[in-house]
Amino acid sequence: MITGCVASEKSANNAAEFEGSLERDLYHMLDFDWTVERFEEQPVEIRYKDARGKTRKYTPDVLIEYVPEVDRKPVLAEVKFRKELKEHWRDFKPRFRAALRFAKKNGWVFRLLTEREIRTQSLLNTKFLRRFKNRNVEKEDMHRILHQLARSEKTTPADLLAQLSDDQWEQAQLLPTVWYLVANRRIDVDLHQPLSMRCVLGSKD
């Protein structure tokens, strides 16, 4: 099993420990998602009775809390591959029922997050943009790009760079700053769609 940590200021401990690649990918997404205010791995221990009436303990994988602007209930989540859920559903079912009750009692919702919900186009975009998020860029370049984008309102990276310069070398130098601004939410883009030189960029000003 793959284990490790994802550094994140949104994590309760500033570093979310993961067990498996699916948890790792989820924590990368949560760290990048502006709607997520904080998240905590293995946040609570829930007691429940199994099919034989024996008391068991269950610890869900993560609690996700959202920024007030999105008006969304916290999500208590279990991260599992669909194959594992199918193979062990009879054993999992009592603990998930207990988690549903526990979440409802606390004003949360309980969800199962599988590769279908996690390994999406948004994850691919997140992985791409993470390399630019903390990049050192020139303030003058940022101002030029944002000023031009504000004049255009909506454009594409290719068109934006062409508007800024006729020189292809200079365009190549400016491109990382465009992705830096996208990664830091200074430029609006639909992260559910593939990022490319033809994706639509929007001004946030």
Side-chain angles (χ1 to χ4, degrees):
M1 177 182 289
I2 299 173
T3 61
C5 294
V6 172
S8 173
E9 294 181 357
K10 295 182 181 181
S11 168
N13 300 311
N14 291 323
E17 296 184 8
F18 61 81
E19 297 179 352
S21 62
L22 199 58
E23 282 189 20
R24 176 201 61 200
D25 290 346
L26 173 64
Y27 295 154
H28 279 308
M29 286 183 63
L30 296 179
D31 177 61
F32 200 83
D33 187 345
W34 73 269
T35 68
V36 174
E37 185 169 53
R38 67 185 296 274
F39 61 93
E40 181 180 359
E41 66 274 22
Q42 299 186 340
V44 294
E45 183 179 89
I46 300 172
R47 293 178 180 270
Y48 70 99
K49 293 186 182 296
D50 63 16
R52 299 180 179 179
K54 186 176 181 179
T55 299
R56 302 283 188 180
K57 297 177 183 178
Y58 165 49
T59 303
D61 289 317
V62 62
L63 175 65
I64 307 165
E65 298 180 61
Y66 297 89
V67 297
E69 296 93 307
V70 300
D71 191 26
R72 186 175 176 183
K73 290 182 178 181
V75 172
L76 185 65
E78 179 69 22
V79 181
K80 286 280 188 293
F81 284 99
R82 293 175 64 83
K83 181 179 179 181
E84 185 179 3
L85 286 174
K86 185 177 181 180
E87 291 176 351
H88 303 284
W89 182 251
R90 182 174 294 181
D91 295 328
F92 289 154
K93 191 173 180 179
R95 69 179 68 170
F96 293 161
R97 280 182 172 175
L100 279 167
R101 291 192 296 269
F102 185 92
K104 185 177 181 179
K105 182 179 179 181
N106 285 276
W108 307 338
V109 293
F110 175 72
R111 286 188 179 160
L112 299 175
L113 300 179
T114 71
E115 65 272 24
R116 181 173 292 180
E117 290 76 33
I118 296 172
R119 291 185 170 162
T120 61
Q121 182 62 53
S122 294
L123 176 63
L124 295 177
N125 292 338
T126 294
K127 288 182 175 181
F128 171 73
L129 290 172
R130 280 179 66 87
R131 73 189 76 171
F132 298 99
K133 191 172 184 180
N134 297 312
R135 187 186 183 96
N136 291 322
V137 297
E138 296 291 336
K139 288 186 177 180
E140 182 180 346
D141 290 341
M142 285 195 296
H143 293 324
R144 283 181 63 198
I145 292 168
L146 292 173
H147 178 71
Q148 182 61 44
L149 182 60
R151 294 175 60 187
S152 305
E153 292 188 0
K154 286 190 179 294
T155 185
T156 67
D159 291 341
L160 177 61
L161 293 173
Q163 293 161 8
L164 289 165
S165 176
D166 294 328
D167 185 273
Q168 291 186 350
W169 175 250
E170 186 178 8
Q171 291 179 15
Q173 288 182 309
L174 289 171
L175 182 57
T177 305
V178 173
W179 295 131
Y180 168 88
L181 292 167
V182 172
N184 287 279
R185 298 191 60 243
R186 300 289 303 278
I187 292 178
D188 192 28
V189 68
D190 184 357
L191 291 178
H192 297 292
Q193 300 298 322
L195 294 179
S196 71
M197 294 302 290
R198 290 298 174 187
C199 67
V200 177
L201 305 179
S203 174
K204 283 186 171 290
D205 298 330

